[in-house]
Amino acid sequence: MDVKDFYYDLPGELIAQDPLKDRSGSRLLVLDRRTGGLEHKHFSQILDYLTPQDCLVINNTRVIPARLFGEKEGTQAKIELLLLRRRENDVWETLVKPGKKAKPGTKIMFGGGLLAGEILDVVEDGNRLIRFYYEGIFEEILDQLGQMPLPPYITHQLEDKERYQTVYAKYDGSAAAPTAGLHFTRELLDDIRARGIAIAEVTLHVGLGTFRPVKVEQVQEHHMHSEYFELDERAANIINETKRKGGRVFCVGTTSCRTLESAAVKMHTKADAMSGKDSPGETSGKEWVRPCSGWTDIFIYPGYQFQVLDALITNFHLPESTLVMLVSALAGRENILHAYKKAVEEKYRFFSFGDAMLIL
């Protein structure tokens, strides 16, 4: 399977640079994965596709203002830092630009000395481990000095940091937003609950692996970066009960999808998952997921047999990206590329601040 098989042509003017004033005012392209049929709706009409037997799974991670701008001690050379994940206490794995100025032992000052850091080591992919020194509470200092880590295809300055957070964001830890969730308002979520539709909260802290280009030619040779996830007992109970009574599990975003597939009770080998062995309907006690937490590098591409998810609410993804491969695994590559072609023709807004898609 070639990476280039997942390419599509996208005019640059369709890349959304700013969020809409009304979160739920975006458009919604509905794809029936069995027939390939398409419907053009507005996001608030998502309610028309949910029943009281279904449940909605949302990722409650919160994006940290992970982009820091500092100066190299001694030379005042400009250095940009992106926090990827906390390794221990005040030691973080980071992406540093320019990397040639960030050798082990390099000291960097941020905010006129309000925060200082020392490069400890160079690790996988050229990332740097850095130890921070400060007085007070790190999160408060980061909120004061840091900027939201918007994807590189967004060139406009974000006026309101909260517009790159979901309204249900709770737990700090992401380097990027779970953008499918940006379409939900508190009022829309209240309407969903009022209709008897259960909402299960999971956590997956989004890493930069989401945005890294696939550098290999063959899809199967790509390796995903690990991301931390948690699925608690309450969420597991909601999901299992939904499946038992014949309802559907609607995942909001690829991160929620990857969390559930990682937490599936039958922890398949990759080979088993690709061959579809041991379907979840055969699990003892009719359980599809179990409470768990840890690191996942699950890579979902065509041939994967989904264990939990029934429907996916998602944004439009970059050509040749792992996320286009994931939605192609669910709906079929031809269906996805056809849907994306129609979305381009109809001038849908693409990527993080763009319109949404519902795959049924």
Side-chain angles (χ1 to χ4, degrees):
M1 201 181 311
D2 291 338
V3 171
K4 64 184 180 182
D5 292 337
F6 297 90
Y7 176 81
Y8 68 92
D9 189 42
L10 178 69
E13 62 267 21
L14 295 184
I15 300 174
Q17 291 295 320
D18 302 289
L20 295 179
K21 185 175 181 180
D22 176 15
R23 286 177 180 263
S24 62
S26 59
R27 298 165 74 187
L28 179 69
L29 182 61
V30 182
L31 168 62
D32 185 328
R33 56 190 165 117
R34 294 159 297 182
T35 67
L38 297 171
E39 295 180 288
H40 301 282
K41 302 288 184 178
H42 288 93
F43 193 81
S44 57
Q45 293 174 287
I46 196 79
L47 286 164
D48 297 340
Y49 297 92
L50 291 159
T51 74
Q53 286 74 41
D54 301 328
C55 79
L56 198 68
V57 181
I58 60 177
N59 180 10
N60 59 20
T61 187
R62 185 171 178 83
V63 186
I64 60 174
R67 180 163 274 126
L68 289 164
F69 296 89
E71 295 181 346
K72 184 176 178 180
E73 187 179 64
T75 67
Q76 282 68 58
K78 303 296 183 183
I79 291 184
E80 179 182 343
L81 215 68
L82 184 64
L83 306 182
L84 299 179
R85 68 184 188 188
R86 178 179 255 139
R87 287 291 191 95
E88 57 177 73
N89 298 325
D90 295 320
V91 176
W92 285 75
E93 182 177 342
T94 66
L95 185 66
V96 181
K97 293 195 300 186
K100 63 182 179 180
K101 295 181 180 179
K103 297 177 181 178
T106 300
K107 294 181 180 179
I108 309 169
M109 308 300 288
F110 306 92
L114 188 61
L115 181 68
E118 181 180 359
I119 304 293
L120 301 180
D121 198 5
V122 180
V123 293
E124 185 182 7
D125 289 334
N127 295 340
R128 266 64 173 174
L129 291 186
I130 183 168
R131 184 184 298 280
F132 288 106
Y133 301 92
Y134 54 91
E135 291 185 3
I137 299 173
F138 179 77
E139 287 74 17
E140 292 180 357
I141 295 171
L142 186 62
D143 194 53
Q144 182 178 342
L145 299 180
Q147 295 184 12
M148 297 303 283
L150 296 179
Y153 48 75
I154 294 177
T155 58
H156 290 189
Q157 188 73 29
L158 183 63
E159 295 181 4
D160 178 6
K161 286 183 179 181
E162 288 302 306
R163 283 303 277 112
Y164 196 56
Q165 304 280 14
T166 63
V167 298
Y168 46 77
K170 288 183 181 178
Y171 303 114
D172 288 346
S174 275
T179 53
L182 297 180
H183 302 284
F184 286 89
T185 63
R186 291 183 175 86
E187 293 76 17
L188 182 55
L189 290 169
D190 287 343
D191 287 344
I192 289 170
R193 292 187 181 96
R195 297 190 182 201
I197 300 158
I199 298 179
E201 296 189 25
V202 301
T203 304
L204 183 139
H205 293 318
V206 188
L208 271 202
T210 297
F211 298 110
R212 287 189 186 276
V214 178
K215 297 180 180 179
V216 295
E217 293 183 0
Q218 294 296 310
V219 170
Q220 295 90 331
E221 294 175 1
H222 178 70
H223 175 69
M224 295 286 285
H225 288 255
S226 295
E227 297 168 311
Y228 182 78
F229 76 96
E230 291 184 6
L231 188 150
D232 64 19
E233 186 174 0
R234 183 176 186 276
N237 288 341
I238 291 172
I239 293 161
N240 286 327
E241 183 58 27
T242 296
K243 300 287 280 187
R244 289 187 196 110
K245 66 186 181 185
R248 296 167 299 169
V249 173
F250 281 67
C251 283
V252 178
T254 57
T255 60
S256 297
C257 163
R258 294 179 69 244
T259 300
L260 295 199
E261 294 301 309
S262 299
V265 171
K266 283 288 188 180
M267 304 302 283
H268 302 298
T269 64
K270 291 181 179 178
D272 286 342
M274 286 299 174
S275 66
K277 293 179 182 177
D278 300 319
S279 68
E282 298 166 3
T283 58
S284 176
K286 296 291 183 181
E287 291 187 326
W288 283 258
V289 292
R290 63 185 180 203
C292 59
S293 64
W295 295 87
T296 179
D297 62 355
I298 188 172
F299 180 22
I300 297 174
Y301 55 88
Y304 181 86
Q305 300 294 315
F306 286 85
Q307 307 300 307
V308 188
L309 169 147
D310 297 296
L312 179 65
I313 300 166
T314 187
N315 281 15
F316 294 94
H317 305 295
L318 276 72
E320 298 183 346
S321 65
T322 60
L323 301 183
V324 163
M325 295 170 194
L326 186 153
V327 295
S328 295
L330 180 63
R333 185 181 70 92
E334 293 78 10
N335 284 343
I336 288 295
L337 293 181
H338 174 70
Y340 274 45
K341 183 173 184 292
K342 288 296 181 183
V344 169
E345 291 173 0
E346 295 292 330
K347 299 192 183 310
Y348 276 70
R349 301 167 74 247
F350 277 66
F351 305 160
S352 294
F353 288 142
D355 294 317
M357 189 175 188
L358 169 62
I359 303 173
L360 292 167

